[in-house]
Amino acid sequence: MNRPSAPNAPDAPALPRLALFDLDHTLLPIDSDYEWGEFTQRIGWTDPVEFGQRNAEFYAHYQAGTLDVHDYVRFATEALCQRGPEAAAAAQAQFLREVVEPAIRPQALALVRQHQEAGDTVLVITATNEFVTRPIAQKLGVQELLAVELERDAAGWFTGAIRGVPSMREGKVLRMEQWLAARGLAWSTVHSTFYSDSMNDLPLLERVNAPVATNPDARLRTLATQRGWRILDLFPQG
């Protein structure tokens, strides 16, 4: 369950404030991971029939909370690993321009800016891999990104494996705890807000001070209503 916000003594400084955002269907009305897979088909990197079927199957598992993230990342990055850095960089820029930028909504930008202007530290924490999401976070004006990190070989290129703890389900809590510890912080020394659309993020929603069910799926909307969590419909879905 959520930790209550501890009152500060009148002369004590306010706790540092963190605003954590899931990415797909929270700040974006799309799933960037799924859309990257669709994009690789359009540019001829993957077979439209075989890849499309498997991509849809993995996405259904994600929605159901049954995804094996290691299997998925190996699948999703196979073509990327094969193409190499130069082709990958060109495709990444094209994907950002053609798919992501048209999906960025002013409401999402305004919410991020609102937290930044209030002095909050803003992080994007996502189960999508770093290659896909780092340019998106930067486009949203967010410098702190916790994403699925990709292992690199001796030449510095991706292998298709995950490095460290994947930022998915309970892994998001672990990654946040690592981030806090690296800065000499702990959950008890910050005030944290987390925006998410998905029941996959329930562990982190339950850990922060202020959970916000944002564009929530049906299960999360029901749970948020039962628990009295804030519900934010940032933009229409679909």
Side-chain angles (χ1 to χ4, degrees):
M1 298 296 291
N2 299 83
R3 299 177 298 108
S5 301
N8 294 319
D11 57 348
L15 295 177
R17 300 180 68 89
L18 306 181
L20 316 177
F21 289 92
D22 179 46
L23 182 62
D24 301 317
H25 295 297
T26 299
L27 282 178
L28 294 178
I30 60 172
D31 185 292
S32 60
D33 216 354
Y34 178 82
E35 293 296 336
W36 168 257
E38 296 292 292
F39 175 75
T40 64
Q41 297 171 59
R42 293 197 297 275
I43 64 174
W45 279 20
T46 52
D47 178 78
V49 176
E50 181 182 356
F51 185 93
Q53 180 180 351
R54 292 194 66 200
N55 199 33
E57 290 171 356
F58 277 118
Y59 185 52
H61 278 293
Y62 172 76
Q63 291 181 311
T66 58
L67 179 69
D68 183 319
V69 66
H70 294 275
D71 283 348
Y72 173 68
V73 168
R74 278 190 292 269
F75 160 77
T77 61
E78 183 178 5
L80 174 67
C81 295
Q82 293 172 348
R83 296 284 167 166
E86 186 175 341
Q92 186 185 55
Q94 183 181 350
F95 176 69
L96 187 70
R97 183 175 64 252
E98 295 180 1
V99 179
V100 175
E101 290 181 3
I104 295 176
R105 300 289 182 263
Q107 304 97 306
L109 292 173
L111 181 58
V112 169
R113 300 295 180 271
Q114 176 186 327
H115 279 283
Q116 290 172 330
E117 290 170 2
D120 301 346
T121 298
V122 176
L123 298 90
V124 167
I125 180 164
T126 174
T128 300
N129 72 72
E130 59 177 313
F131 175 83
V132 171
T133 56
R134 193 165 301 282
I136 300 175
Q138 292 171 349
K139 198 70 180 179
L140 293 168
V142 179
Q143 300 306 312
E144 294 284 354
L145 171 70
L146 296 180
V148 170
E149 296 183 0
L150 301 175
E151 181 185 77
R152 295 173 183 265
D153 60 22
W157 189 236
F158 302 128
T159 68
I162 292 173
R163 180 168 64 90
V165 177
S167 47
M168 183 176 178
R169 296 193 288 263
E170 295 83 359
K172 285 194 176 183
V173 178
L174 293 175
R175 290 288 301 280
M176 272 306 306
E177 288 173 349
Q178 293 171 351
W179 186 92
L180 289 165
R183 289 155 180 79
L185 300 171
W187 291 114
S188 60
T189 62
V190 298
H191 182 280
S192 51
T193 301
F194 179 41
Y195 296 84
S196 176
D197 71 292
S198 175
M199 282 289 286
N200 280 295
D201 284 337
L202 185 58
L204 186 53
L205 285 164
E206 290 182 326
R207 193 67 185 84
V208 298
N209 299 102
V212 184
T214 309
N215 316 315
D217 60 29
R219 290 188 300 159
L220 182 56
R221 187 179 294 272
T222 297
L223 183 67
T225 300
Q226 292 170 347
R227 296 192 180 183
W229 293 351
R230 181 185 171 199
I231 296 175
L232 174 63
D233 290 304
L234 192 58
F235 39 67
Q237 293 292 291

